[in-house]
Amino acid sequence: MAFFVPSHSRSGPRVTSNVMTMTTSAAVPTGSEDAITSGDTVTNRLVEANKRYASAFTDPGMDARPVLHVAVVACMDARLDLHAALGLELGDCHTIRNAGGVVTDDVIRSLTISQRKLGTRSIVLIHHTGCGLESLTEDFRTELEMEVGQRPAWAVESFRDVDQDVRQSMQRVRTSPFLLHTDDVRGFVFDVKTGLLREVDPA
């Protein structure tokens, strides 16, 4: 099932210009003008890009509360352009990202603040096909312990069945005692080959 956010209108200022187009390093021309010089770093390039962005930036005058009252939890995978994929604009939503898009304690922390202090009500959970967590196991923590001498306190949260992991994340949200609104929680898998969302049945 594909998921589409309906078009909407804003009551406040609308941001329509001065959008900076960002590309991955693979898409950057390799000519002398754009190549990374000796001693340069990717971070330096990002800082320079920000200077160009800021030179044309104007304060949109937005409130911190998301216009659509929705929080989106998704994987940190660089292939997911959430705003473009969901038809969102600046100021529409809260976006919470981590490895796998898994609902962890820290995600519950962010969602709780999002709902209780900034007025969101709906929660959208997005995993995706070909996730790196599908190739990991909890042995990763043991490997880290052997390397650095300390076992991580966090779980890897790896999985083999992406649909089942989305269901687990939905269940963690719905059973959290800290969240005020758990009636509109939906989970999806984003297909990195087609760009479509497929909704996961919570049952």
Side-chain angles (χ1 to χ4, degrees):
M1 172 179 176
F3 171 66
F4 301 96
V5 175
S7 60
H8 59 279
S9 60
R10 295 174 177 278
S11 57
R14 188 178 185 83
V15 178
T16 58
S17 61
N18 302 328
V19 176
M20 178 179 69
T21 300
M22 298 188 72
T23 62
T24 63
S25 57
V28 175
T30 56
S32 59
E33 184 175 298
D34 296 290
I36 298 178
T37 59
S38 177
D40 196 7
T41 67
V42 172
T43 303
N44 286 342
R45 289 172 60 176
L46 298 179
V47 171
E48 288 303 311
N50 173 256
K51 290 177 181 177
R52 294 191 294 273
Y53 170 77
S55 67
F57 182 81
T58 55
D59 181 2
M62 294 179 177
D63 187 88
R65 295 171 179 263
V67 172
L68 296 182
H69 309 291
V70 61
V72 179
V73 180
C75 184
M76 66 184 186
D77 193 291
R79 293 170 291 181
L80 275 64
D81 185 347
L82 292 176
H83 275 66
L86 300 178
L88 296 169
E89 298 177 8
L90 183 67
D92 279 346
C93 73
H94 280 158
T95 305
I96 304 162
R97 302 184 71 160
N98 66 16
V102 178
V103 173
T104 59
D105 286 345
D106 194 57
V107 168
I108 293 294
R109 164 186 168 270
S110 294
L111 288 173
T112 301
I113 294 169
S114 176
Q115 287 195 351
R116 291 179 175 268
K117 297 301 181 182
L118 293 166
T120 60
R121 297 184 62 91
S122 299
I123 298 173
V124 175
L125 308 175
I126 301 178
H127 284 29
H128 66 93
T129 58
C131 184
L133 283 190
E134 295 181 56
S135 62
L136 291 178
T137 68
E138 291 299 322
D139 290 341
F140 181 58
R141 298 172 68 217
T142 302
E143 294 167 5
L144 286 173
E145 182 180 19
M146 296 295 292
E147 178 182 336
V148 305
Q150 181 176 337
R151 189 172 182 80
W154 38 262
V156 177
E157 297 280 1
S158 59
F159 54 86
R160 293 294 176 269
D161 185 332
V162 65
D163 285 39
Q164 184 55 34
D165 204 66
V166 171
R167 292 188 189 99
Q168 175 176 271
S169 288
M170 284 191 280
Q171 182 66 11
R172 288 178 177 177
V173 167
R174 287 175 173 149
T175 58
S176 172
F178 306 112
L179 298 176
L180 293 172
H181 308 291
T182 58
D183 56 319
D184 187 14
V185 179
R186 295 169 66 182
F188 302 85
V189 175
F190 178 84
D191 190 321
V192 298
K193 300 296 186 183
T194 67
L196 283 173
L197 287 177
R198 174 176 55 80
E199 185 156 12
V200 175
D201 185 346

